[in-house]
Each structure stands twice: as C-alpha cells, then as structure tokens.
Amino acid sequence: MTEEPGFDPYDYPRRWEADVVLSDGGTVHLRPITPDDADRIVAFHGRLSERTRYFRYFGAYPRIPPRDLKRFITLDHHDRVGFAAMLGDDIIAVGRYERLHDHGRPSDQAEVAFVVEDGHQGRGIGSILLEHLAAAAQESGLKQFTAEVLGENSQMVRVFRDAGYQISRALEEGVIHLEFAIDPTEESVAVARSREQAAEARSVHNVLHPKSVAVIGASTDPTKVGYAVLTNLLTADFAGPVFPVNAEHPAVRGVRAYRRVLDIPDPVDLAVVAVPATSINEVMDDCLAKGVKALVVVTSGFSEIGDEGRGAEQRLAEEARAHGMRVVGPNALGVVNMDRSVRLNASLAPKLPGLGRTGFFCQSGALGTAILADAAARGLGLSTFVSAGNRADVSGNDMLQYWMTDPATDFVLLYLESFGNPRKFARLARRLGRTKPIVAVKSGRNAVSPALAATSVQVDEPSVQAVFEQAGVIRVESLAQLFDTALLLAHQPLPEGSRVAVVGNSTAIGVLAADTALAQGLELAGTPVDVGPQATPEQFAGAVREALLREDVDALVVVFVPPLAVPGTAYARELREAVAGLAEGQGKPIVSTFLAAEGVPAELAVPGPDGSPGRGSIPSYPSPERAVLALARVTRYARWRSAPRGTLVRPDGIRPEPARELVQSVMDDGTEWLTDTQVVRLLSFYGIEVTPFRIVRSADEAADAAGMLGFPVAAKASNSLLKHRSDLVGVRLDISGPETMRAAYTDLRQVSGVDTVYVQRMVAKGTSCVIGLQDDPSFGTLVSFGLSGVVNDLLGDRAYRSIPMTDVDAAGLVRAPKAAPLLAGYGGSPMADLGALEDLVLRVAALAEDVPEVRRLELEPVVASESGASVVYARVAVGRPPSRHDTGPRRLRTMN
C-alpha cells in the first residue's frame, strides 16, 4: 500500500463503531482496526486453533510475520478496511476487505474475508461482520464483494450463502470462488431483520429467564431498596438460587450472603444492582469478571440528575455491552416473569397480578408499582413486566422483539414517555401488531422529563399519531383507558365487524351505550333491547343469548342495574352460563356495565389455570361509555388487522440514478431550493409531470407563450418565483386568446408591481390538494396529504404515512383527511380520480426513499379531477439527510 500525504490510519468514521447483539443474546463492540491493535491481533491469532487458521489462510500460518502484521493494522479505511469484534479488551473476530484493481486501476470490487475465534464461532459474528463491511464498502463506492473459501469450510460458506445476496460461485481445485453485489436486496434485508429479532429476543430472554440471581447491595434494613428486591425475589419463590451480596453481614433474610459477586461459587445469570451510583464502577468490574449475563440496575442517580449522571450512565451501558451484557435501567423498577417455571420478581413491586398472557413495558419506575397493583385489582394477569427506567440499554423495542415470538404473551401494553429509536419502533410495532395487539399510552406530548432527555428523541405529535395508525397500535390517553382496553383483549375475542347490539334492563343506560357506539363509528344492530327492571335472571340471560345468536351482531354490550327484589349475583350466574363458550365460538366479544363494577367481577369470571379470570370472562366497566369506548378501540384494531397488508409498490418509469446526480450537483453548488427547471427535471425522473408553464417578462412574450402552450391558459404573478403559493399576488384564468393574454399580463403587472408572470396550461377543473414530504428527524420521512385551503390549513387537516409505503398505505392516505369525502363527490363536489392520487403519492414516496437528500417537497396545488391528478406547482429543498436510527447494518442504539 502506498501511503498518500495526510494518510492517518487512526482516522476512521466514528459512525462505523457499533454495539451489536449476537445470536445467543450476548453483545460485542465493533470498531475499525488501528495500529494500536498490534498486540491484540497477535494474541487473537495465537488463540486460534490450527484448523481455524488453516481455513482462513489456506495453510498452517502459526505466527503472523511482522510485515503481514503491519499490513493488518495499517488501514486507510477506504480501499482497505478492517473491523475488530471486541469483547472487553480482547479481539474475538476480525473482518476485512481490500479493493481489487483492474489493469492497475481501482475497481468497484473488493475481496472480503473474516475469521472468528473458535470459542465464539456459531454466535453469528461472521454475519454481522459481513453486514458492516458491506455498508462501509458501499460508502467507499464499492459494488461487489469476492471471496475465496476452502470447499471444506462449510461454516464460512454458509455465512455467505445465508446472507440473502445473489451469489455466483465457482469451484476450482478445492477452493470456492464467490462473487456477489453488496447493494441490499429485499432478501438480504429480510435476513438481517430476522437475525436481529432472534438475537434481541434472546438477549431479553436471558434477562427474564435467569437460572440464578444475585442481589448486589442486599440489605438487612427494611427501608433500603436492596432489602425490598431480595424480599420480593424470595416471596415470589424464584425457581433458582438467590445470592445476596453484602460486605457486612454473613446472611441476609436467612440466606447466606457473599462479600462480592466474585465470591459466589456458582454461575450468576442475572445481577440486580441496588448499590449507590458512586459504587457502580466497582460492581461493574466484578460482574464483568464473573461473566454475569445481564444487569437490572434499580439504583438512581444517573441521567435524571444531569450531565454528571448522564456520563456515568453512558459509561455503564458501554462497559456492559463491551463485555457481553445487557442492562435494564438504571433507575428501573425491575423485571417480572410470571412463568410458573421461573417465578421471577426482580423488582421493587411487592404486589403482583396473577398469571396471564399480557406483556407490559413501562418506562416510569415511579408509576410501575401502581400499575402492577392496578392490574391485580382489575383481574388482569401478566406474562412478563419490565420497567426500564432511564433505558440506557434495554428499551421497549427490545421487548417488542421478545414478545414477537414469546408463546406466553398474546398482547402487549406499553407506557411510553419518549422514544429512543422511533423509526425502529414503527417497524417492529407494525410487524408485531399483525399477530398481537399493542395498546400504548404515549405521554409527554408537550414535554419530556429531564430523566429521559438523554436517551430520548422528541417527535412531533402528528408523526406519532401517523405511525401509530399505520402500525395498528391502539393508542389510549390514560392508564385507565389502557386497562379498559386490556381487559377486553385479555378475556374476549376480537370482533369480526362493527355491528353492536345493546341488551340491558335500563332504557336510560342502554341509550347512553347506543349513543356512544354511534359516536365512535360503530353500527347499531337494531334498537337497544330493554328487558325491563322486573325481568327474571333467566329472562335477562335469554335476551343476551338471543342477541349473540343473531347474524347481524358482531359484538354485544350488556348493561345491568340490579333490581331491588333479586340479588345481582343471580343475574350474573345466569348470564355467565348463558354465554359460556358461545361468544368465544362465535367470535363475538361481550362488554358489560354490571353493578358498576370495574374489572372482572367474580360472578362474571371464568377461572383460568391458577384460579384468576381467564378467557371467556366478561369485563365490567363503571359506565356504559367506558365499555363502548374499549369496544370501539378493539374494533378499529380488528379492522386494521384483517385489512389487506398491501405490497410495496415501485411505480413504472422511475429513474433513481439521474435524480441522485441532479440533487448531488445542486448540493455541490451549496444550493438549498431547486429552481423551477430543476424541480421539473427531478420530478420527471419519477414520472411526475408538472403542468407546462413559461416564465415571461413582457406582454408579447406572454402572448407567444400562451400560444405555444395552447389556449386556454392561466396567468399568475409572483414576487419570488413561486417559492410558495402564498407568494401569488394575482391570478387570471381561462385566457382564450393572444389579446386577452396581453391584457392579463398588463393587469397582473400593475397589481403585483413586478414584471415576472407565469403562463400555464389550464388543467381540468377539480379539487385542489397538497402532497408533501415532512422529514421527521426521528421517524424518518413522512408523506403528507390534504386538501388545499385556508380552513384545512387552519384545522391541520392533513394525514401522514411513513415510508416505505404499500399500495394500501397510499389508498388510506388519500382517504384519511376529514375533508376527503369532497374527493368522492360529497355535497356535489367534482369526483376525483383517487387512483391517480394514489399513484402520485407512491411516486413521491419512492423519491423520498431513493433520494433522502430531498428534505422538503411540496406539490401544491394538485388538482384532482375525474380525468386524473394535475400537479400545477412544485417546490423542492435539498440538504444532507439526518442520520437514521434504523438504517444500515444491525446495531444497538447509542446515547447521544
């Protein structure tokens, strides 16, 4: 290698560093190799077996010669790149590529190779190295990787084969020659996502299914958190050994204690840390040396107290990941696994609900105890519960990955105060929601607490709402609504439609239920049935059963006020027996307002395996409004879940390469806003035609331009070359000849005081719309759609969807604004070609996905008519795109 002036082997892109999760749930740190790694490379090589060295170097290669060592550690991080996988201070794997030359000139190909220490093979490190090397190579302009692999090295061949790339191979004298393009393919991305899910789910599994737990800071003082955690572990009868760590006492709560975690003779899977924040470094050193798999840090005094604590928190997460551990917390309430074979309560919560099939993630430790107590009081059982506190490492996204394949969890509850990686959340929630409902409270609409600021990304409220809707997340406004919805999901089936019957013994309460149902967009299956206050329990239950058996009923609301003569329990018994097995089999959920009880009354409960309310139990709400609101939320979710998923669509006639070249040339000139001509060219590469126009500066030019465009035309004057429609200061429509064009130009010049006038071909009459791109720094690019006009702007009547978009997303977007019925002829408005609008939206989405440097785009107005959708004006701004949290190779989120 010839070193060029200014070459610095230490100067690598810092974004290439990454913490990654391996297939067994452990972690390693990836970073480029530098000359300081010489001793580590030699030590790493010395730990390789003869077989591994033979497979890598095609020979014995017992020692690295000085010349080779220098080449291994002196890289330019462009044509020659190397990554080291670090576990603590040790290198456990190395991957590298070197650009190939064709007749002495650099080519767009590179040879790639990697080797993994024997004890760490089979953990997925090779696949991760390949992903990160490919991403770095793409940044350096490379297009293709080649590799030489011994035919008997089946494990390495499998790494390349299973990566999802289109690979060509040739076998010659026992060596397999592989070639493949490194641009991400649909298959390679799917493979990476699948591996990411399995790895991150496994890492959470390690937290929730430990075989042993140490409590570091276990205390004999009942007022200390170390006492509470140990007590809760013992009270829950954890299935494995519990090791108190206390330097002053030989035993805590009757259990033998150890001075340090290193003194524990047996392996420790999970350590609950309850020591002061000032002692965390010593504890970390011991846990790293002990080989602890995961930490739950209940200690406070980190990012919630300011910059000093934020730095300590970042060091905690970085050190833990670098040594293979995941961290819940700090400032966490803890973790709970209700599985009978685990029985883990590694938390500060003394009271737990029963066993159920609900997963719960909560950011707030302060609310966590109350949430668990509330769940218990309402009869809502849980499978697992995680309160992650400051989320230095393990987050809600990790939990979504775990619950995606957890057979013990049927639906998920989230209490979110902020987002650490919103773009990833959107992707994961959309996938999980297709099989398991997600109910979320998103607080912090107007403010984020200082404790969360370090690990959070603030987002716009419209972005949150749009992503929740697109991902099928059931969004609620309060914890009370969260539990109302959860009770229905936990005990009753999803409705197959929106037709609701109301049965009760009170006309007034039945009417309240019916009014609420109609207000929430549900359909009433007939008028509410009132059996009257004098009806017997048998008559009441019979009316309920009859309603459930009706073919025009998808769900049932039961309202009951006990009469004075007969105890309510008799009605409940008859009701439960009347619907036993019927609603579940018919797929018809039942909600009730029974005795104004909240939760699942014992009279309406169907006991589960442990005696707590199980499937088929009928939830009760204090008011008919709350019962119907819960039903409406679940009905909307069921509609989303049963709707076609759609397919990712790439409209015909798209040309990304010239679009990228045009945008790059504009950026090279230091320009933000494209000129009108540049906008027209850019959009044309994506099949978006802007209605032809001419810019004129005299009456004669105006007349000539109008003739070229073809009468009738429109003319408009602008003070700033149409940077925005509000810049228009005059408009003349339906100009039908040269003389009227000259007159219109003169009038517009007098009104505006400028010479510049736009002459534009007239488009068919229709409804004016606006399509735009909103570049949210957290969720990524959102496509927006709405109808034009001051009223719509004032009310914010726009809909949003994130990219990439499916055909179903596009269809939903153009129908989502409240004013969208105007496009379908409401009130005599002209009918619009919705298909043309959908196509236009998909083309804008494709442009945003292919050219992320397009930071802002507005098509306004877009005139939608029966004959199509005409883009009258457009404006585009470009700039360097923000770094994304969920693009490129797999990596864990970092604190910024």
Side-chain angles (χ1 to χ4, degrees):
M1 179 183 68
T2 302
E3 298 185 4
E4 298 178 358
F7 171 76
D8 184 355
Y10 292 93
D11 186 20
Y12 60 82
R14 294 300 182 263
R15 63 182 176 277
W16 286 1
E17 293 196 43
D19 295 319
V20 294
V21 184
L22 307 181
S23 59
D24 60 2
T27 59
V28 296
H29 182 70
L30 291 188
R31 63 165 175 79
I33 295 171
T34 69
D36 290 342
D37 290 319
D39 292 341
R40 296 186 184 93
I41 291 289
V42 171
F44 163 70
H45 185 82
R47 294 193 300 271
L48 299 179
S49 67
E50 291 183 6
R51 178 180 175 83
T52 296
R53 288 198 296 267
Y54 172 72
F55 279 161
R56 168 61 182 89
Y57 300 105
F58 295 18
Y61 206 68
R63 290 177 300 277
I64 303 178
R67 180 178 177 180
D68 287 356
L69 178 61
K70 182 178 180 181
R71 184 171 183 80
F72 288 164
I73 62 175
T74 309
L75 306 170
D76 63 7
H77 310 297
H78 187 270
D79 291 345
R80 299 182 63 246
V81 170
F83 281 101
M86 308 292 301
L87 186 59
D89 293 328
D90 296 329
I91 293 176
I92 62 170
V94 169
R96 64 179 70 245
Y97 75 73
E98 182 165 353
R99 187 187 294 266
L100 298 177
H101 287 70
D102 184 11
H103 298 92
R105 301 181 62 183
S107 72
D108 61 1
Q109 283 190 328
E111 184 174 10
V112 65
F114 37 87
V115 59
V116 180
E117 189 175 321
D118 294 71
H120 296 281
Q121 292 176 7
R123 304 182 68 196
I125 300 177
S127 299
I128 288 174
L129 282 171
L130 180 57
E131 285 182 40
H132 285 259
L133 286 168
Q138 282 185 288
E139 288 188 31
S140 299
L142 290 164
K143 302 292 185 183
Q144 192 174 53
F145 273 169
T146 69
E148 305 285 339
V149 183
L150 287 174
E152 56 194 295
N153 190 354
S154 58
Q155 188 171 355
M156 190 60 64
V157 172
R158 190 179 307 115
V159 169
F160 288 109
R161 184 192 65 199
D162 295 344
Y165 296 106
Q166 297 297 318
I167 296 179
S168 64
R169 65 182 68 191
L171 177 64
E172 183 177 349
E173 297 182 356
V175 176
I176 301 176
H177 178 79
L178 306 172
E179 291 186 1
F180 55 95
I182 58 175
D183 281 341
T185 65
E186 186 173 339
E187 184 180 358
S188 69
V189 171
V191 167
R193 298 303 193 206
S194 176
R195 288 172 173 167
E196 174 196 61
Q197 188 277 322
E200 293 181 1
R202 181 65 194 183
S203 71
V204 174
H205 183 277
N206 293 344
V207 174
L208 294 173
H209 294 78
K211 293 183 173 60
S212 59
V213 178
V215 180
I216 304 174
S219 177
T220 59
D221 184 348
T223 66
K224 303 292 187 181
V225 294
Y227 179 94
V229 173
L230 180 61
T231 299
N232 294 340
L233 274 166
L234 298 176
T235 302
D237 190 25
F238 174 61
V242 177
F243 305 111
V245 176
N246 185 302
E248 299 177 357
H249 299 277
V252 180
R253 300 232 34 173
V255 181
R256 179 185 174 183
Y258 299 86
R259 291 181 58 83
R260 299 171 62 186
V261 71
L262 287 173
D263 296 332
I264 299 173
D266 299 318
V268 175
D269 287 342
L270 175 68
V272 183
V273 180
V275 301
T278 53
S279 303
I280 201 73
N281 289 337
E282 180 182 351
V283 168
M284 280 291 298
D285 291 341
D286 284 358
C287 288
L288 300 177
K290 181 65 178 175
V292 175
K293 291 182 179 179
L295 300 178
V296 174
V297 183
V298 298
T299 305
S300 59
F302 289 88
S303 62
E304 75 276 6
I305 67 170
D307 291 340
E308 181 179 352
R310 187 174 297 115
E313 182 172 309
Q314 184 168 357
R315 290 191 296 273
L316 166 67
E318 290 175 350
E319 281 295 306
R321 289 174 175 178
H323 288 79
M325 294 191 300
R326 299 301 306 270
V327 177
V328 176
N331 196 27
L333 181 72
V335 301
V336 174
N337 187 352
M338 302 296 296
D339 189 311
R340 291 190 186 87
S341 65
V342 181
R343 305 185 300 277
L344 174 70
N345 182 9
S347 80
L348 301 176
K351 184 178 181 180
L352 298 181
L355 175 64
R357 303 190 62 78
T358 307
F360 205 139
F361 174 80
C362 173
Q363 285 181 207
S364 171
L367 281 175
T369 300
I371 286 172
L372 290 173
D374 204 358
R378 294 174 184 242
L380 178 67
L382 299 181
S383 60
T384 46
F385 173 85
V386 172
S387 170
N390 296 0
R391 294 173 304 119
D393 182 22
V394 172
S395 68
N397 287 344
D398 293 292
M399 297 309 303
L400 293 182
Q401 297 278 43
Y402 172 76
W403 284 319
M404 202 169 292
T405 50
D406 176 31
T409 300
D410 289 340
F411 69 98
V412 168
L413 305 180
L414 304 174
Y415 178 81
L416 303 174
E417 296 179 349
S418 60
F419 291 100
N421 188 337
R423 189 177 173 93
K424 185 173 182 178
F425 171 84
R427 170 171 60 87
L428 299 183
R430 188 169 185 172
R431 180 182 174 192
L432 177 61
R434 287 296 179 182
T435 56
K436 299 181 180 183
I438 302 171
V439 189
V441 177
K442 171 62 177 73
S443 66
R445 290 192 175 196
N446 301 308
V448 174
S449 67
L452 297 168
T455 55
S456 304
V457 177
Q458 287 199 323
V459 295
D460 293 334
E461 179 57 27
S463 302
V464 176
Q465 187 62 28
V467 171
F468 276 11
E469 289 177 0
Q470 199 170 352
V473 174
I474 304 172
R475 186 178 189 181
V476 295
E477 302 299 322
S478 65
L479 288 174
Q481 292 181 5
L482 184 82
F483 283 115
D484 284 353
T485 310
L487 284 170
L488 178 53
L489 291 170
H491 302 302
Q492 294 289 311
L494 294 176
E496 295 183 356
S498 59
R499 300 168 299 179
V500 178
V502 179
V503 176
N505 66 347
S506 165
T507 298
I509 299 180
V511 170
L512 282 176
D515 282 346
T516 307
L518 292 173
Q520 291 296 313
L522 301 176
E523 303 174 52
L524 283 182
T527 58
V529 176
D530 180 8
V531 298
Q534 304 303 320
T536 66
E538 293 79 9
Q539 291 172 328
F540 183 76
V544 170
R545 184 178 181 86
E546 182 180 345
L548 275 176
L549 291 173
R550 287 169 51 183
E551 292 185 358
D552 64 339
V553 171
D554 299 312
L556 182 62
V557 180
V558 177
V559 293
F560 175 79
V561 177
L564 296 177
V566 183
T569 54
Y571 288 86
R573 182 174 58 253
E574 289 292 336
L575 173 60
R576 185 178 61 196
E577 292 176 359
V579 303
L582 181 62
E584 193 75 25
Q586 296 289 322
K588 297 179 180 181
I590 305 174
V591 294
S592 72
T593 297
F594 187 82
L595 301 172
E598 185 168 2
V600 180
E603 298 87 351
L604 295 180
V606 175
D610 64 346
S612 60
R615 295 293 294 182
S617 299
I618 301 175
S620 177
Y621 300 87
S623 69
E625 294 94 338
R626 281 177 59 176
V628 174
L629 285 171
L631 179 60
R633 295 186 201 103
V634 172
T635 300
R636 286 191 289 269
Y637 165 74
R639 186 185 305 124
W640 173 86
R641 178 163 151 172
S642 62
R645 300 189 184 190
T647 56
L648 294 175
V649 177
R650 298 280 293 177
D652 296 334
I654 287 177
R655 300 165 59 199
E657 286 305 321
R660 294 190 185 105
E661 292 172 2
L662 171 60
V663 168
Q664 189 58 54
S665 67
V666 172
M667 292 178 62
D668 290 343
D669 291 339
T671 305
E672 179 184 7
W673 289 97
L674 273 65
T675 66
D676 295 299
T677 302
Q678 290 170 334
V679 169
V680 170
R681 283 187 59 208
L682 175 65
L683 296 180
S684 71
F685 296 139
Y686 278 79
I688 301 172
E689 181 183 356
V690 178
T691 303
F693 64 89
R694 295 290 185 272
I695 301 173
V696 299
R697 293 177 174 82
S698 71
D700 289 340
E701 285 184 9
D704 291 343
M708 293 174 60
L709 293 172
F711 294 102
V713 296
K716 307 162 182 70
S718 172
N719 286 325
S720 56
L721 294 183
L722 287 178
K723 286 292 177 65
H724 193 270
R725 66 181 178 86
S726 62
D727 295 326
L728 297 175
V729 293
V731 179
R732 296 291 186 274
L733 303 177
D734 292 325
I735 299 169
S736 57
E739 293 308 316
T740 54
M741 180 70 255
R742 289 188 176 90
Y745 175 85
T746 302
D747 291 343
L748 289 172
R749 179 180 177 184
Q750 291 176 349
V751 170
S752 65
V754 297
D755 292 337
T756 304
V757 170
Y758 279 69
V759 179
Q760 192 163 34
R761 182 182 298 165
M762 284 288 294
V763 300
K765 292 183 178 180
T767 303
S768 293
C769 307
V770 54
I771 297 173
L773 292 178
Q774 175 176 314
D775 190 24
D776 189 295
S778 51
F779 280 112
T781 302
L782 301 177
V783 181
S784 65
F785 175 80
L787 274 65
S788 297
V790 175
V791 174
N792 288 328
D793 289 347
L794 180 65
L795 298 178
D797 187 22
R798 286 201 186 188
Y800 300 85
R801 293 291 186 274
S802 61
I803 61 170
M805 288 179 62
T806 67
D807 51 355
V808 171
D809 293 331
L813 178 62
V814 300
R815 292 165 176 81
K818 294 178 181 178
L822 292 172
L823 299 171
Y826 179 83
S829 60
M831 294 288 293
D833 183 349
L834 295 178
L837 285 174
E838 294 167 21
D839 179 73
L840 191 54
V841 162
L842 287 170
R843 292 181 184 278
V844 170
L847 172 60
E849 190 174 6
D850 294 342
V851 193
E853 291 80 6
V854 173
R855 302 296 306 279
R856 186 175 178 183
L857 177 148
E858 291 178 3
L859 309 181
E860 185 180 13
V862 175
V863 179
S865 65
E866 288 184 316
S867 59
S870 302
V871 179
V872 178
Y873 295 111
R875 62 195 298 251
V876 174
V878 297
R880 188 168 300 281
S883 59
R884 300 302 190 202
H885 296 273
D886 195 38
T887 57
R890 288 171 282 166
R891 65 178 62 226
L892 287 170
R893 172 180 57 89
T894 57
M895 294 175 62
N896 296 318

